[in-house]
């Protein structure tokens, strides 16, 4: 038979394809080398019983097939030995646990290799997995027998009722139950992935639970109070419903009110902020005022007590104005040639400098003036300016405060009018050197008025007599005498 060149080429290609396919089948599918033990090693596994394990069963490691069960036999010591044929190239730690599992309810047992660590030496040819490191599932006949006895122990009527109620409960909920199972599997996978965090959470929950146990009384008290509040809400349900129903309209009215007040409300709030800042700065003074004001009101009451239960109403009022007693303080203010007359009605800028009565603090002039203002940040200290209050320097009167006649600013002593040029920072005492020590306060003698003779001691230490105030005064007093000081 004569073959053409084309037919020969086709036969050659077919032969090559058939040979390649045969090699793939023998080595890839049939695994011919493995049938003769090439590329494999055997491991012996001891079992308390066979547990339904059979030859050719699968062997898995981390869910991947790594070999077959070669044989299952009974050893001389009465235990079952299973010979496992494992693939080369997969290092399986020798510190592991081998468990026999069922692939389905009808059997199909396989061996699952579960490593305990990753540092132990791998299994080798002839390795033995001891019976203490293996486990087999209970026999299916034992499970069926126990299930049968359990069902026989349940009354048939109750079992029928349970099955019927179970059908009613879950009947038609297949998709929902499927989603529930899938969600549970997803939660289990996430929990496995975050095992360290969950373990830390469980370990750290002990202090929290112990705290709840230690504060059980407080928790019970809180629960009791909550129950009381709940009962009050239940008893006042009508009023609460009224608040809820009327709350919306009330809020709308409040919003409308705020809209009407919108042009002026921000200004008021801004002013309140300024007032609040002032109140915070002067908090000690405000507290002192709140303490002294009731006492001052109480001291005014004796002036009304003498007219109690009489036809006269009100309190006693003394019209003795004591004019020019003491004389007005001019020390520390502008000189006479710089003062303005009361007839002027313009409003020039305030002069630069600290203008106040600069006499001694315990002197008779302007005792309630700036020189005796209490320092808020330093209790017990009094000074006319904040700078002196915040410093360690004490108040120093102008020219010792004695020269209150003649030159009002005691310029003859070298102390100028307390003025500051524009743009110059304010100093504590611009007229005295910083190293000058404060002079000692002059002694002040005080005596009571003698009504028998009408004599008293003045601020200058001299004895004065007001004869018309004596008890033996005979001349009649007029209302003009009450408006001028005595001689």
């Amino acid at each position: 038979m004569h073959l053409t060149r084309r037919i020969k080429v086709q036969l050659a290609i077919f032969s090559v394809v058939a040979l390649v396919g045969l090699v793939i089948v023998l080595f890839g599918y049939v695994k011919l080398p493995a049938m003769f033990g090439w590329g494999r090693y055997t491991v012996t596994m001891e079992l308390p019983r066979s547990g339904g394990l059979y030859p050719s069963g699968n062997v898995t490691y981390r869910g991947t097939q790594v070999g077959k069960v070669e044989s299952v036999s009974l050893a001389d010591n009465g235990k079952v030995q299973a010979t496992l044929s494992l693939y080369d190239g997969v290092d399986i730690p020798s510190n592991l646990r081998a468990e026999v599992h069922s692939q389905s309810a009808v059997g199909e047992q396989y061996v699952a290799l579960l490593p305990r660590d990753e540092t132990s030496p791998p299994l080798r040819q002839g390795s033995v997995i001891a019976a203490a490191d293996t486990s087999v599932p209970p026999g299916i006949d034992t499970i069926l027998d126990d299930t049968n006895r359990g069902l026989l122990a349940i009354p048939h009527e109750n079992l029928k009722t349970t099955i019927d109620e179970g059908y009613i409960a879950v009947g038609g909920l297949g998709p929902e139950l499927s989603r529930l199972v899938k969600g549970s599997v997803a939660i289990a996978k996430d929990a496995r992935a975050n095992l360290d965090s969950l373990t830390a959470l469980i370990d750290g929950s002990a202090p929290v639970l112990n705290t709840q146990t230690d504060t059980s009384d407080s928790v019970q008290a809180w629960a009791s109070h909550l129950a009381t509040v709940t009962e009050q809400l239940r008893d006042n349900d009508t009023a609460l419903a009224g608040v809820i129903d009327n709350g919306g309209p009330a809020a709308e009215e409040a919003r409308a009110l705020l809209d009407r007040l919108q042009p002026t409300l921000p200004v008021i709030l801004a002013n309140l902020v300024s007032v609040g800042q002032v109140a915070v700065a002067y908090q000690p003074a405000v507290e002192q005022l709140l303490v002294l004001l009731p006492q001052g009101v109480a001291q005014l009451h004796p002036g009304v007590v003498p007219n109690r239960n009489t036809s006269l109403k009100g309190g006693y009022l003394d019209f003795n104005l004591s004019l020019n007693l003491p004389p007005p303080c001019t020390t520390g203010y502008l000189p006479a040639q710089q003062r303005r007359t009361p007839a002027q009605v313009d409003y020039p800028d305030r002069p630069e400098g600290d203008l106040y009565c600069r006499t001694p603090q315990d002197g008779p002039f302007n005792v309630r003036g700036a020189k005796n203002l209490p320092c808020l940040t330093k209790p017990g200290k009094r000074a006319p300016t904040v700078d002196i209050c915040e410093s360690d320097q004490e108040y120093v009167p102008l020219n010792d405060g004695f020269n209150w006649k003649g030159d009002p600013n005691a310029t003859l002593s070298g102390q100028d009018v307390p003025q500051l040029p524009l743009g110059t920072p304010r100093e504590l005492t611009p007229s005295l050197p910083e190293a000058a020590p404060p002079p000692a306060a002059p002694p002040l003698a005080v005596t009571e008025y003698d009504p028998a003779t009408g004599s008293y001691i003045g601020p200058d230490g001299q004895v004065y007599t007001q004869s018309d105030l004596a008890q033996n005064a005979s001349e009649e007093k007029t209302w003009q005498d009450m408006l001028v000081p005595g001689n």
Side-chain angles (χ1 to χ4, degrees), residues 61-287:
Y61 172 66
R62 296 185 183 274
T64 303
Q65 182 179 351
V66 294
K68 294 282 188 179
V69 178
E70 191 173 278
S71 63
V72 179
S73 61
L74 185 63
D76 296 338
N77 56 4
K79 295 182 180 180
V80 176
Q81 289 184 346
T83 303
L84 308 181
S85 178
L86 305 179
Y87 302 148
D88 285 339
V90 179
D91 293 334
I92 303 174
S94 58
N95 185 12
L96 52 76
R97 181 171 178 82
E99 299 178 353
V100 178
H101 294 282
S102 297
Q103 187 73 24
S104 63
V106 297
E108 301 182 28
Q109 274 74 9
Y110 68 97
V111 178
L113 302 180
L114 306 176
R116 291 192 177 97
D117 57 47
E118 302 292 340
T119 59
S120 58
L123 295 175
R124 290 291 182 261
Q125 175 69 27
S127 298
V128 178
I129 303 175
D133 298 329
T134 62
S135 65
V136 294
I140 188 64
D141 52 348
T142 303
I143 296 176
L144 294 176
D145 185 58
D146 294 341
T147 303
N148 185 41
R149 286 200 300 269
L151 293 176
L152 292 176
I154 300 175
H156 291 178
E157 296 180 357
N158 296 342
L159 180 60
K160 182 178 182 302
T161 303
T162 302
I163 295 175
D164 294 341
E165 294 295 334
Y167 173 77
I168 295 174
V170 299
L173 299 179
E176 288 76 9
L177 293 177
S178 177
R179 287 195 297 270
L180 178 62
V181 172
K182 291 181 180 178
S184 302
V185 173
I187 292 175
K189 291 181 179 179
D190 293 340
R192 180 66 180 176
N194 300 278
L195 183 60
D196 296 338
S197 301
L198 292 177
T199 305
L201 176 62
I202 294 173
D203 295 339
S205 62
V208 178
L209 297 178
N210 294 336
T211 303
Q212 298 298 318
T213 303
D214 297 339
T215 59
S216 59
D217 297 338
S218 301
V219 173
Q220 292 177 359
W222 176 82
S224 177
H225 297 331
L226 181 61
T228 302
V229 173
T230 304
E231 292 177 358
Q232 294 292 333
L233 292 176
R234 180 194 61 192
D235 298 339
N236 299 276
D237 180 70
T238 304
L240 181 62
V243 172
I244 296 175
D245 295 338
N246 299 324
E252 183 64 24
E253 292 293 336
R255 187 192 63 78
L257 177 61
L258 293 177
D259 291 341
R260 291 195 298 269
L261 296 177
Q262 186 174 6
T264 57
L265 183 60
V267 178
I268 296 176
L269 295 178
N271 294 336
L272 289 178
V273 171
S274 302
V275 173
Q277 293 175 351
V278 174
V280 170
Y282 289 91
Q283 179 183 359
V286 174
E287 293 181 355

Side-chain angles (χ1 to χ4, degrees), residues 335-356:
Q337 63 272 18
Q338 298 183 19
R339 297 174 191 168
R340 295 167 50 81
T341 62
Q344 294 175 324
V345 295
D346 57 343
Y347 46 93
D349 295 335
R350 184 182 182 277
E352 293 289 339
D354 293 327
L355 302 179
Y356 54 87

